[in-house]
C-alpha cells in the first residue's frame, strides 16, 4: 500500500489572509505530493511499504537519506494541515492549555519560546510542541524534514503541533519575513486538534 497525499479539510483560500491560497495550493499539491511520490519510490518493493509512517520515522537511522527526507516530509506535512484551520487561533483550551501552564510557564511564554524555536532554526526546518516520554510538554526545533519521532533527533517526543519554517511555506506572501509568517501562523492554529493530539499522546 503506497502512501497517499491526504486531502485538506478546508479550501486553499480558507486560511487567508494569514496564509494565502497560492502558497497552500503549491505547498500541498506540489511540495507535499513530491515527498509522497519520492517516499513511495524510495521504499518500493521493500517491507517498509507495510509500515506506518510513524514507525518509519521511529527507526529512521536504518534508512537512506531519501526515506529520512521524504518520509519526514510526509509525516510533518500531514500533521501540519491538521493543526491549522479557518476561524481558529486564539488561546488553547482543555487539558493542553493546563499543560502549557504547568510545563511551559504559560501561553505567553510558550508563544515566545515557540517563535524563537522557529526563528533560530537556520535554513529550513520545523518548530515543534511535543509530548516527551515523561508526559511533559517541550518546545524544540529540527532541521530539514526531521522530526522528534525520529531516533536521530536531538529532541525526542510525540509532536502535537508543528510549524513549517521552510521558505516554501511563506515566501510567496511574506518573502524573507519569517517572523511575520510565524505571527500569522498563530492565527490559524487549530487548538482543538492540538488538544486531541495531546490527549492521544498522553495515553
Ligand atoms: Mn513544507
Amino acid at each position: 500500500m503506497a502512501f497517499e497525499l491526504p486531502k485538506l479539510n478546508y479550501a486553499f483560500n480558507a486560511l487567508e489572509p494569514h496564509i494565502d491560497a497560492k502558497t497552500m495550493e503549491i505547498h500541498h499539491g506540489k511540495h507535499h505530493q513530491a515527498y509522497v511520490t519520492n517516499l513511495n519510490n524510495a521504499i518500493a518493493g521493500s517491507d517498509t511499504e507495510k509500515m506506518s509512517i510513524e514507525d518509519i520515522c521511529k527507526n529512521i537511522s536504518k534508512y537512506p537519506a531519501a526515506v529520512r527526507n521524504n518520509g519526514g516530509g510526509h509525516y510533518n506535512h500531514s500533521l501540519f494541515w491538521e493543526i491549522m484551520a479557518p476561524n481558529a487561533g486564539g488561546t488553547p483550551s482543555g487539558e493542553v492549555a493546563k499543560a502549557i501552564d504547568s510545563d511551559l510557564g504559560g501561553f505567553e511564554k510558550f508563544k515566545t519560546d515557540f517563535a524563537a524555536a522557529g526563528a533560530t532554526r537556520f535554513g529550513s526546518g520545523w518548530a515543534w510542541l511535543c509530548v516527551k516520554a515523561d508526559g511533559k510538554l517541550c518546545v524544540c526545533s529540527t532541521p530539514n524534514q526531521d522530526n522528534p519521532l525520529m531516533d536521530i533527533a536531538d529532541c525526542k517526543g510525540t509532536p502535537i503541533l508543528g510549524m513549517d519554517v521552510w521558505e516554501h511555506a511563506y515566501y510567496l506572501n511574506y518573502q524573507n519575513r519569517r517572523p511575520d509568517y510565524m505571527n500569522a501562523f498563530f492565527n490559524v492554529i487549530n487548538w482543538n486538534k492540538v488538544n486531541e493530539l495531546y490527549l492521544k499522546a498522553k495515553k
Side-chain angles (χ1 to χ4, degrees), residues 47-189:
D47 288 346
T48 310
E49 282 186 311
K50 299 182 192 113
M51 291 171 63
S52 69
I53 191 62
E54 288 81 5
D55 284 341
I56 293 173
C57 287
K58 286 173 186 172
N59 295 282
I60 208 70
S61 61
K62 297 174 187 162
Y63 293 101
V67 177
R68 177 171 170 179
N69 293 333
N70 295 294
H74 177 45
Y75 174 86
N76 297 347
H77 289 85
S78 298
L79 177 70
F80 188 57
W81 311 132
E82 289 212 315
I83 54 79
M84 296 191 290
N87 308 311
T91 53
S93 56
E95 292 304 307
V96 76
K98 291 181 198 164
I100 287 171
D101 285 343
S102 60
D103 299 348
L104 300 177
F107 183 61
E108 287 308 314
K109 176 145 194 325
F110 158 74
K111 272 180 82 171
T112 303
D113 291 348
F114 190 77
T120 57
R121 171 49 60 190
F122 182 77
S124 297
W126 290 75
W128 301 103
L129 174 63
C130 298
V131 179
K132 295 186 293 179
D134 65 3
K136 303 269 192 215
L137 290 175
C138 76
V139 168
C140 65
S141 75
T142 54
N144 304 313
Q145 294 296 356
D146 288 356
N147 63 56
L149 283 183
M150 292 184 174
D151 56 0
I152 45 84
D154 290 333
C155 77
K156 290 193 184 58
T158 304
I160 60 171
L161 172 66
M163 177 172 65
D164 190 345
V165 296
W166 283 57
E167 281 189 345
H168 71 220
Y170 60 87
Y171 200 84
L172 290 182
N173 195 35
Y174 295 100
Q175 291 81 48
N176 61 323
R177 305 189 310 275
R178 189 187 287 186
D180 290 353
Y181 155 73
M182 295 194 303
N183 280 334
F185 176 78
F186 279 100
N187 293 317
V188 296
I189 297 176

